[in-house]
Amino acid sequence: MGLELIKDTQETTDKQLDGTVYIAIIGGGPKGMYGLERLIAELNSEPPTSPVEIHMYNRTRHFGSGDVYRTDQPSFLKMNVPNRAIDIWLRENPPCPVKDTSTFTEWANQNPNINEDLASDDYSSRTTVGQYLEDGLQKILARLPDQVIVKLIQGSVTDLKRIGEQYQLKTESTNHSEWQPHNYAHILLATGHPSKSLTNEEQEWSEFSQEHNNVGYIPFIYPVQQVMTNIKPNSTVGLKRNGINFCRCGSGTY
């Protein structure tokens, strides 16, 4: 998959003026969104003297929610914290420029499209929380300071290198990889759940599954719906460990 521009807050196609400061956020899930919100709050508090262009890269189209809270997953996949603990807004200085900083419960009760029972002590679906996160990101993008542009870019970042006092990113598509033309003054790594490196034991399991027909191995369950599509009905499934991910996997196999 090549790079795809998902959203551009710049109203015109005019090229930025010389002196633009480029900033990259690698990872467009909740962690990347929190970083963007704090950056926008700082730029709103102390307006920049030069144009600032922020590029947020994410592997999928699920900006704000990420794979863990993506809005296309089954509703039976639940949170592991009660609704009262969910609040995406940091209430400290510099203040967030967004005016509506509702908690999750407040947001859900104000939203006529939410059909879940959302009392403060209930446990909501991850997809509903994903809607809350994506809505929060859109509110941030709607309150950018003057001279600040944000671009949401779908694509995989595979490497970075330093060039003097700046950085360059390498992205990968289906057929090739390439270094992007922008030189970034700052880079925030907000990749959330990292790509999992297999232990020796897990590597043996993976090799075993490849050598035997009708045997599969799933080292990491997110996104749940996508990674479990190859599990056929009436299959025998073994689950290692018994934490919250155990419950999610067990629910997903029914």
Side-chain angles (χ1 to χ4, degrees), residues 14-15 21 54 84 91 125 128 135 172 177 197 224 226 232-233 252:
D14 293 340
K15 196 170 184 179
V21 177
I54 304 167
R84 66 175 182 274
R91 306 175 191 283
S125 67
T128 301
D135 182 65
E172 187 173 281
S177 60
S197 297
V224 174
Q226 283 70 23
K232 299 178 180 179

Side-chain angles (χ1 to χ4, degrees), residues 115-173:
N115 298 319
E116 290 188 61
D117 182 13
L118 292 177
S120 61
D121 290 330
D122 288 333
Y123 291 78
S124 293
S125 67
R126 304 177 80 79
T127 184
T128 301
V129 174
Q131 294 177 53
Y132 173 58
L133 289 161
E134 292 183 3
D135 182 65
L137 175 59
Q138 294 306 313
K139 289 176 178 175
I140 294 169
L141 296 178
R143 300 288 298 183
L144 300 180
D146 292 339
Q147 295 202 93
V148 176
I149 292 170
V150 176
K151 294 185 177 182
L152 306 184
I153 303 171
Q154 181 183 352
S156 296
V157 177
T158 58
D159 200 358
L160 62 84
K161 63 182 178 181
R162 189 163 186 169
I163 302 176
E165 296 299 317
Q166 297 183 312
Y167 301 88
Q168 202 167 28
L169 297 180
K170 187 177 187 180
T171 58
E172 187 173 281
S173 65

Side-chain angles (χ1 to χ4, degrees), residues 1 8 59 65 78 115 130 132-133 182-183 204 213 246:
M1 177 185 66
D8 185 348
R59 186 173 53 83
S65 56
K78 300 292 185 178
N115 298 319
Y132 173 58
L133 289 161
H182 297 97
N183 290 332
E204 291 178 4
N213 293 328
F246 172 92

Side-chain angles (χ1 to χ4, degrees), residues 26 38 60 66-67 69 79 84 99 110-111 113 130 132 140 143 148 151 158 162 196 205 215 223 245:
I26 303 175
R38 283 294 85 196
T60 70
D67 275 348
Y69 303 100
M79 296 292 294
R84 66 175 182 274
K99 301 303 181 185
Q110 296 165 5
N111 192 329
N113 297 320
Y132 173 58
I140 294 169
R143 300 288 298 183
V148 176
K151 294 185 177 182
T158 58
R162 189 163 186 169
K196 191 177 188 304
W205 293 346
V215 176
N245 286 345

Side-chain angles (χ1 to χ4, degrees), residues 2-42:
L3 297 186
E4 181 179 356
L5 181 62
I6 302 301
K7 186 177 181 68
D8 185 348
T9 60
Q10 188 175 16
E11 295 182 355
T12 70
T13 57
D14 293 340
K15 196 170 184 179
Q16 281 279 8
L17 299 174
D18 290 341
T20 297
V21 177
Y22 290 94
I23 299 173
I25 299 177
I26 303 175
K31 186 181 293 184
M33 184 184 71
Y34 298 149
L36 176 65
E37 185 275 329
R38 283 294 85 196
L39 178 56
I40 297 304
E42 292 285 351

Side-chain angles (χ1 to χ4, degrees), residues 196 198-212 215-219 238-241:
K196 191 177 188 304
L198 301 182
T199 64
N200 291 336
E201 180 185 33
E202 291 168 338
Q203 185 62 43
E204 291 178 4
W205 293 346
S206 178
E207 293 173 356
F208 180 86
S209 70
Q210 296 171 15
E211 295 168 357
H212 295 78
V215 176
Y217 174 61
I218 300 174
L239 301 176
K240 184 180 180 181
R241 301 187 178 93

